Each structure stands twice: as C-alpha cells, then as structure tokens.
Amino acid sequence: MIVMKFGGASVATPESFKKIAQIILNQTEEKIIVVVSAMGNTTDQLLNLATQVHPQPPKRELDMLVSVGERVSIALLAMALSLLGREAVSFTGSQSGIMTSSNHSEAKILEVRPHRLQAALDSGKIAIVAGFQGVSFAGEITTLGRGGSDTSAVALAAALGAPAVQFYKDVGGIYTADPKKDSTARILAEMSYDEALELSRQGAKVLHGRSIELAQRNGIELQVFSFDQPNSVGTVVGKGTSRLKTIYYERDI
Ligand code: ASP
Ligand code: MG
C-alpha cells in the first residue's frame, strides 16, 4: 500500500493528467491511494473570484467554493486513468471520511473513517482523493489551510496503514535553502523529521509543516520526487522509521 500525492504544479494543464496517470501506472505497489491538489493556481483564482463578490466572504461559503479546485483534479485524474485502462474512483474529502474540526479555512484532521477508500482498494481500484478538504462532525465542508493537501495525504497513510507517502513536486527534493535565492542550495538526500520541520518553519515551501508532524507521530516515511524525474527519489524524510500500532491524527499533536 502506498500513498502518492501530486501537487498543483504537477496537474497544471489537461495534458499533465495523462503524464501523472502514467507515473501512477508505473507504481508497483498493489494498493494505491492518490491525493491531488487543485490545478495550477486554481485555488488563488477561486479566492479571487470570491472577493469580487464579497470583500470578506463568509468562511463557510469560501470553503464550499475553494474545495471545488481539488474536486476538478480528482475527476480529471480518474478519467485519465480510465483512458489508460485502469479502474480508478475519485472521492471528495468528505466521501473519504476525512473528519475535521469546524474552523473553516484552517480545519485540523481529527479522525479518518476510510471505509469507502478501503472498499475501492479491496476491489482492485485506485482511490483518488481530493486533498486540502474534509468535513466537520456537523457535516460542513472544511478546508485545511493553504498547502494542506500534503497533510491530507499523510492522514490517509496513517488511517490506511501505509508505511510511506510519495510527494511529486515541481522541485526534485528538499533543498538546504531556497534555490531561487541561494545558488549554493543543494538537495539533501535524507533528513530527519526535525530537520524538515525546521526548514518548513524557516519558510521552505516543500512540505506542509503539519504533514511532517503527523508523519513523525505515526512513523510514516516521506519521499519527495520531481514529477519530471519520477524514477529517482530526491529526499527521504524519516528514512527507515516504522509504523506505530496506534494511529494518530492532528488532535493528538
Ligand atoms: N490547493 C490548495 C492550495 O493551493 C491546497 C494544496 O495545494 O495543497 O493551497
Ligand atoms: Mg494548490
């Protein structure tokens, strides 16, 4: 079982869905859960759209709106896989059983009830899940905060017992500094959770900080790939850790 996560840059165009579908088909693990972000800058566009209608949109409605971005991606990816002859089913965060706190636009994942994902995987299908979103215990659609799809992916790995999450990014791994600002920046092949957390606190955008904390708590390895070179891993965070028996979510952190 493996969780593969594709960020917004890897699904920026319609063609990119065919490309990542191919990356998914090359996966040798039998059970595959895929988490996707919204296409390119879709989330920014949706937020912008909202403020054109209301300068301070009600947060519930804003979550209803921005969660649409990921929903577009999951459906298109399921279609791309279907074209290649592989059965895949898309699920929203809510359908995936991602239960969150009720604070809109910065909800925390409190629990995952992955019955439907498990059933899809058991019947040989690839489960494709919308990142960045969940549902509160009152049944409202919530989002996790910008960049939150990474945290969705790790929470699903925790819930389903996957030992690792593979992140496919537009950069080849985690750099020692921002490569756009510092020409001496280089990719680190391995780092500890604490080192990755420190980099994220300093503003490195490679992994959502909350996803690193959740991975550390559960003993989930994080592997960062470039979607342009999907055959070689750039950075591994928490290499060689093993899964704990208890499952932890963000309420435990
Ligand atoms: N689409 C959301 C964002 O742009 C979530 C994510 O990409 O992880 O922040
Ligand atoms: Mg995004």
Side-chain angles (χ1 to χ4, degrees), residues 53-233:
V53 174
H54 190 313
Q56 270 153 347
K59 286 195 150 190
R60 177 193 185 276
E61 303 311 330
L62 201 54
D63 273 356
M64 192 64 95
L65 181 72
V66 294
S67 60
V68 169
E70 272 69 16
R71 194 156 165 166
V72 170
S73 296
I74 53 170
L76 291 175
L77 183 55
M79 292 176 196
L81 282 161
S82 161
L83 191 66
L84 294 177
R86 186 65 203 261
E87 269 196 290
V89 206
S90 64
F91 297 96
T92 63
S94 160
Q95 288 178 314
S96 307
I98 298 180
M99 310 302 299
T100 73
S101 59
S102 56
N103 42 336
H104 288 290
S105 83
E106 49 186 3
K108 294 271 167 69
I109 299 176
L110 302 182
E111 198 182 318
V112 182
R113 301 172 177 170
H115 321 290
R116 293 198 61 189
L117 302 183
Q118 196 71 67
L121 295 172
D122 290 346
S123 64
K125 294 175 184 146
I126 295 173
I128 302 174
V129 178
F132 176 58
Q133 56 180 266
V135 63
S136 72
F137 286 86
E140 299 291 2
I141 301 298
T142 54
T143 63
L144 308 176
R146 299 305 304 268
S149 301
D150 290 348
T151 300
S152 310
V154 173
L156 289 169
L160 290 157
V165 178
Q166 299 182 338
F167 294 90
Y168 292 84
K169 303 262 174 190
D170 54 347
V171 290
I174 303 182
Y175 283 82
T176 49
D178 184 346
K180 286 183 196 120
K181 292 183 192 143
D182 184 345
S183 61
T184 66
R186 60 197 169 80
I187 290 177
L188 286 177
E190 282 177 32
M191 64 174 74
S192 66
Y193 297 110
D194 287 332
E195 285 164 336
L197 269 172
E198 185 50 37
L199 280 175
S200 128
R201 281 193 198 105
Q202 288 167 13
K205 294 250 161 49
V206 181
L207 289 176
H208 199 224
R210 283 161 53 189
S211 72
I212 304 169
E213 286 177 304
L214 199 54
Q216 178 168 34
R217 198 78 168 86
N218 287 285
I220 295 168
E221 192 176 286
L222 306 177
Q223 306 165 351
V224 182
F225 294 78
S226 155
F227 59 79
D228 280 325
Q229 278 152 0
N231 299 324
S232 62
V233 63

Side-chain angles (χ1 to χ4, degrees), residues 5 7-9 37-44 70 132 146-149:
K5 190 261 166 175
S37 296
M39 295 174 70
N41 58 2
T42 299
T43 306
D44 290 320
E70 272 69 16
F132 176 58
R146 299 305 304 268
S149 301

